[in-house]
């Protein structure tokens, strides 16, 4: 599937863009499944907001439990001063996470599309395991900024680490909050780590290294729907707030080689669900 040039590009730049990998039907099935989850979501029971602005404070039990569940998180800007929604539920969800691949057949089917396993084998995986999935809505006008970060801060593992696959369910542009990457910066140090103290079940983001976030040139990754972006877990990446009147849905997978050891303080622990092979 991948050419030698693409493999080389992934290793040297730290990310690889594959345009138009998935059919309209395939991304439509994931989008419909996400919309069904939102339709069934009872906002009055779970008002957990997902934001990256405040160094990840406020992540609660509902967040920790989502490692092995399908939970909806709200946009910060979708709640009024009383904690009530200020817009329709369908336009208020920030993301769904993090075990749809295990628990929702449409997501399982999508993740098992042969092209995904093939691409992972092409970049060197032998037995890739899928650890986490997220469906990100980036809602029109309020879809929040995701500040510069490295995914390894949230998915601690032994090297070679985790690979992220970011799939555009809708077109991503500068206006609606596309990804930004820094070619070559996947070799830069891990700046932060988010660790959970399991006795109190609280998480904390700590600084490990003061290297500036934008030490490299930032590239806007504008892609059509159905495209995929693969990236290393040390690659600094960012997406701005969606200031347009169009949503920018994306579906992400995080994958590690079978046998990769996971940190005990990692927020993502899957004692009950086991392995999902790709
Ligand atoms: Fe990320």
């Amino acid at each position: 599937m991948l050419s030698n040039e693409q493999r080389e590009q992934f290793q040297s730049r730290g990310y690889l863009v594959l345009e138009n990998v998935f059919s309209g039907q395939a991304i439509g099935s994931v989008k419909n499944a996400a919309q069904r989850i939102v339709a069934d979501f009872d906002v009055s029971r779970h008002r957990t907001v997902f934001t990256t602005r405040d160094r990840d404070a406020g992540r609660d039990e509902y967040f920790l439990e989502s490692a092995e569940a399908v939970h909806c998180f709200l946009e910060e800007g979708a709640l009024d001063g009383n904690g009530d929604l200020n817009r329709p539920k369908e336009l208020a969800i920030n993301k769904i996470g993090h075990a749809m691949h295990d628990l929702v057949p449409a997501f399982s089917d999508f993740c098992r599309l042969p092209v995904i396993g093939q691409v992972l084998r092409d970049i060197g995986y032998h037995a890739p395991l899928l650890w986490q999935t997220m469906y990100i809505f980036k809602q029109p006008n309020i879809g929040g900024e995701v500040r510069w970060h490295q995914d390894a801060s949230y998915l601690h593992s032994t090297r070679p680490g985790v690979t992220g696959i970011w799939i555009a369910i809708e077109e991503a542009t500068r206006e609606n909050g596309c990804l930004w990457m820094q070619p070559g910066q996947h070799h830069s140090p891990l700046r932060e780590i988010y660790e959970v103290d399991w006795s109190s079940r609280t998480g904390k983001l700590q600084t490990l290294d003061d290297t500036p976030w934008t030490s490299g040139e930032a590239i806007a990754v504008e892609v059509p729907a159905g495209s995929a972006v693969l990236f290393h877990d040390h690659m600094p990446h960012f997406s701005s707030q969606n200031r347009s009147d169009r949503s920018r849905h994306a579906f992400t997978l995080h994958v590690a080689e079978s046998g990769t050891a996971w940190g005990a303080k990692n927020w993502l622990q899957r004692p009950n669900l086991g392995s999902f092979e790709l």
Side-chain angles (χ1 to χ4, degrees):
M1 160 95 197
L2 297 184
S3 65
N4 287 340
E5 193 185 343
Q6 287 173 312
R7 276 189 273 241
E8 161 65 22
Q9 211 177 76
F10 178 69
Q11 297 308 339
S12 62
R13 294 166 67 93
Y15 72 97
L16 179 66
V17 180
L18 301 170
E19 291 203 355
N20 302 311
V21 182
F22 299 99
S23 69
Q25 188 189 0
I27 58 174
S29 72
V30 164
K31 189 173 183 175
N32 290 340
Q35 285 166 339
R36 283 196 297 275
I37 292 167
V38 171
D40 292 340
F41 174 57
D42 182 354
V43 180
S44 65
R45 293 185 57 214
H46 300 291
R47 290 176 197 235
T48 300
V49 162
F50 189 85
T51 173
T52 67
R53 277 196 315 132
D54 54 1
R55 291 186 65 78
D56 308 336
R59 296 199 181 167
D60 59 7
E61 195 61 30
Y62 184 69
F63 173 74
L64 293 177
E65 287 173 357
S66 72
E68 294 191 295
V70 177
H71 285 179
C72 294
F73 298 89
L74 298 172
E75 280 292 345
E76 199 176 20
L79 294 176
D80 64 20
N82 298 322
D84 295 321
L85 286 188
N86 59 14
R87 65 198 63 225
K89 178 174 69 171
E90 299 71 30
L91 296 175
I93 310 290
N94 171 291
K95 71 172 181 180
I96 310 171
H98 292 88
M100 289 86 82
H101 54 294
D102 296 288
L103 302 173
V104 183
F107 283 98
S108 310
D109 291 348
F110 183 91
C111 294
R112 289 212 161 90
L113 288 173
V115 65
I116 295 177
Q118 184 61 52
V119 164
L120 289 166
R121 285 175 179 80
D122 284 356
I123 59 169
Y125 278 88
H126 300 289
L129 301 183
L130 176 53
W131 276 84
Q132 168 188 284
T133 43
M134 286 189 279
Y135 192 94
I136 301 161
F137 289 85
K138 204 67 133 174
Q139 302 284 6
N141 304 309
I142 62 161
E145 169 189 309
V146 177
R147 64 179 184 86
W148 284 103
H149 68 282
Q150 295 156 300
D151 288 349
S153 297
Y154 301 93
L155 296 166
H156 327 149
S157 68
T158 49
R159 299 289 91 199
V162 174
T163 298
I165 308 175
W166 186 100
I167 295 162
I169 302 299
E170 296 177 322
E171 180 187 30
T173 66
R174 281 179 172 78
E175 289 69 40
N176 69 6
C178 69
L179 278 179
W180 290 73
M181 296 278 178
Q182 295 179 40
Q185 292 299 310
H186 56 306
H187 295 306
S188 66
L190 188 63
R191 283 123 168 124
E192 297 174 331
I193 192 158
Y194 181 80
E195 293 182 326
V196 174
D197 171 356
W198 290 105
S199 61
S200 63
R201 297 184 69 83
T202 52
K204 197 172 166 189
L205 188 71
Q206 297 175 70
T207 301
L208 296 178
D209 190 287
D210 288 332
T211 301
W213 281 111
T214 50
S215 46
E217 177 197 12
I219 303 278
V221 185
E222 296 187 293
V223 288
S227 304
V229 185
L230 272 68
F231 56 103
H232 281 258
D233 64 357
H234 276 48
M235 167 60 70
H237 57 288
F238 159 87
S239 67
S240 68
Q241 187 184 348
N242 183 356
R243 297 182 201 283
S244 80
D245 54 11
R246 290 180 304 130
S247 57
R248 192 232 63 189
H249 292 194
F251 179 51
T252 68
L253 296 79
H254 285 89
V255 174
E257 185 66 53
S258 173
T260 299
W262 286 76
K265 293 184 178 178
N266 200 344
W267 84 268
L268 186 86
Q269 302 289 341
R270 295 167 44 97
N272 302 308
L273 286 177
S275 302
F276 188 104
E277 294 166 19
L278 290 174

